[in-house]
Amino acid sequence: MIIDAHFHIFPPLGRATVEEDPLQPLRMKFWQCHMRDSSRFRRKADDEPVPEPFLQWNSDDINEMPEVSFRMADFGRAEITVDGVDYYTQAYPPSLINCEAPPERMIGEMDLVGVDMGVLQHDHIYGALNEYYGEQMQRFPNRFIGLAQVREWEADSPAEHERLEQAVCEHGLMGLYFSVEPFALSNYADHLDDAKFEPLWEKVRELGIPVWWYLHSRQRDRLGGFMEHVAELDRWAETHPDIPALLTHGIDTFSMRRGEERYEIPDALMTLLKRPNMHVEVLFCAFWPEYPFPGAQEKIRELREEIGVHKLMWGTDMPYCSGSWCTYKQAIDYIRVHCTFLSEEEKALILGGNAARMFKLL
């Protein structure tokens, strides 16, 4: 069984979703924050490049972002308006004609390259999709593994604990996706290991599900913020050794500059990954531009030796991957075909066996 640990299906981005329509403006704020580093804009009137950081601002408080009427458009575009002038940037692949990734299309992508299932990571920028994921899991059995979403900024409230229970028990979702990006609403006053979140972890323990962590906060000091969250998660993992967990999006990808094959994994991050309950997503093809990504292969070799192959799960961030980094086939074949230092058994674990074990599919 081949399982892509980082996969997406979603209705049209930026439009009403199946639940929580009142949060639509907040989702647009999350999108704008998510793209704060973008500087590849074009003026809509004449399609001329305008390389200005329109979305950047001088704090980490999401409430201080510039007002630019941020919105999602068709063909994977994001649009803004500054001083009455409209601009756009390519936020997602242009193949997203209606800025959506319907399950039928994404199953076709999987079938073409031989992928059996996709783990649906659940960031707020895609919408509040607990019910939607459950419906698609029922429509297409054994193709999707949905992760539940909670409002992290309210994750200490009983209402969010009930929402998680409903996502798992009624909609059939199989894990919790927890992101630090929404902590921008409190200017990062919240921390992953805060005592107020203990009732949530008790609910996770009761439901018997894993937690998938997203630690890239979009703070001005991206690396510093990431390492602070690594320290928080390390303390969490030490005190919750019975809850399986995975670090999504791989190792510190922000400081892994493209083509830098000698990137050293920080000691604190390696310490976290050595925790018995921690796993890590292998999402490396984006950062070495030449297929078959020798730098990525070397990093897989290093992680296998340092933390063990049983902790590694292959992911791609489809459909973003196929329009921005490489083809979907290349994203799997650099491991399936070119990581000759891995045995067939080790490849099988990275490409699906470890995920199947975490979600109790074996």
Side-chain angles (χ1 to χ4, degrees):
M1 183 182 294
I2 296 180
I3 301 174
D4 188 339
H6 192 157
F7 205 73
H8 293 288
I9 60 174
F10 44 82
L13 296 175
R15 301 172 194 173
T17 51
V18 291
E19 57 176 306
E20 301 179 282
D21 292 341
L23 289 185
Q24 189 70 0
L26 182 56
R27 281 195 286 276
M28 287 299 97
K29 290 184 72 171
F30 285 144
W31 257 116
Q32 183 175 336
C33 182
H34 194 77
M35 296 182 62
R36 70 178 297 173
D37 297 322
S38 299
S39 59
R40 298 172 61 183
F41 284 90
R42 287 179 177 270
R43 193 165 44 234
K44 285 189 69 176
D46 54 13
D47 219 36
E48 281 297 306
V50 183
E52 294 188 21
F54 290 120
L55 304 185
Q56 192 55 267
W57 76 101
N58 294 321
S59 81
D60 289 324
D61 187 345
I62 195 172
N63 297 305
E64 296 180 1
M65 288 192 307
E67 174 52 57
V68 294
S69 299
F70 185 94
R71 56 206 181 266
M72 299 302 296
D74 290 340
F75 303 103
R77 291 182 175 182
E79 297 183 352
I80 61 173
T81 301
V82 179
D83 296 331
V85 179
D86 294 332
Y87 304 88
Y88 75 88
T89 187
Q90 203 64 48
Y92 249 84
S95 57
L96 297 186
I97 297 173
N98 298 313
C99 235
E100 66 177 329
E104 294 87 349
R105 176 257 170 98
M106 299 310 297
I107 287 173
E109 298 278 8
M110 288 193 285
D111 288 348
L112 282 174
V113 302
V115 174
D116 297 295
M117 302 184 75
V119 180
L120 304 178
Q121 297 196 20
H122 200 166
D123 199 285
H124 292 278
I125 59 177
Y126 299 104
L129 303 178
N130 286 345
E131 181 180 342
Y132 176 82
Y133 282 177
E135 290 174 350
Q136 306 316 315
M137 290 171 66
Q138 288 187 354
R139 288 182 63 208
F140 305 101
N142 303 316
R143 301 313 302 265
F144 301 120
I145 299 169
L147 301 180
Q149 181 190 97
V150 295
R151 302 174 188 172
E152 290 87 350
W153 62 99
E154 298 174 353
D156 57 332
S157 71
E160 289 306 295
H161 308 160
E162 293 174 8
R163 184 165 172 246
L164 174 59
E165 184 169 15
Q166 180 185 45
V168 174
C169 298
E170 296 184 21
H171 301 313
L173 307 192
M174 301 173 69
L176 170 63
Y177 183 87
F178 197 98
S179 171
V180 299
E181 271 196 300
F183 286 172
L185 293 171
S186 66
N187 201 11
Y188 300 98
D190 293 319
H191 306 281
L192 299 179
D193 57 336
D194 284 348
K196 68 179 183 178
F197 295 133
E198 281 306 312
L200 174 66
W201 311 133
E202 184 56 40
K203 177 60 67 175
V204 166
R205 185 179 288 113
E206 174 189 324
L207 294 170
I209 58 174
V211 182
W212 287 42
W213 298 92
Y214 180 62
L215 300 191
H216 293 278
S217 60
R218 295 311 195 273
Q219 292 172 269
R220 287 174 298 169
D221 181 1
R222 289 280 296 277
L223 179 57
F226 177 83
M227 294 310 299
E228 287 180 11
H229 296 311
V230 164
E232 294 167 7
L233 184 54
D234 185 56
R235 294 191 293 269
W236 178 92
E238 182 179 20
T239 56
H240 302 81
D242 57 328
I243 300 179
L246 177 131
L247 178 63
T248 69
H249 295 71
I251 55 181
D252 175 31
T253 52
F254 181 73
S255 66
M256 186 192 297
R257 293 181 292 275
R258 290 181 180 272
E260 183 180 307
E261 297 188 14
R262 297 306 304 168
Y263 167 81
E264 298 295 333
I265 300 175
D267 290 342
L269 178 55
M270 195 66 80
T271 297
L272 167 64
L273 297 180
K274 289 180 179 179
R275 295 284 183 191
N277 57 330
M278 287 302 305
H279 304 73
V280 63
E281 177 188 339
V282 175
L283 179 65
F284 297 156
C285 56
F287 303 97
W288 285 274
E290 298 299 326
Y291 181 77
F293 319 123
Q297 294 183 45
E298 185 57 35
K299 202 52 56 183
I300 291 172
R301 184 199 299 268
E302 179 182 350
L303 287 170
R304 179 194 66 172
E305 295 172 354
E306 289 288 331
I307 66 175
V309 72
H310 63 288
K311 287 175 167 282
L312 310 181
M313 298 186 198
W314 166 74
T316 66
D317 202 0
M318 277 289 287
Y320 190 84
C321 161
S322 66
S324 302
W325 304 324
C326 60
T327 68
Y328 197 23
K329 189 173 187 297
Q330 288 174 326
I332 186 173
D333 278 354
Y334 89 93
I335 297 177
R336 183 166 58 184
V337 176
H338 295 283
C339 284
T340 57
F341 57 89
L342 294 173
S343 68
E344 291 304 310
E345 291 77 11
E346 289 175 321
K347 290 179 183 179
L349 288 174
I350 295 172
L351 295 176
N354 292 330
R357 184 185 67 251
M358 176 175 282
F359 292 108
K360 304 173 184 177
L361 301 179
L362 298 177

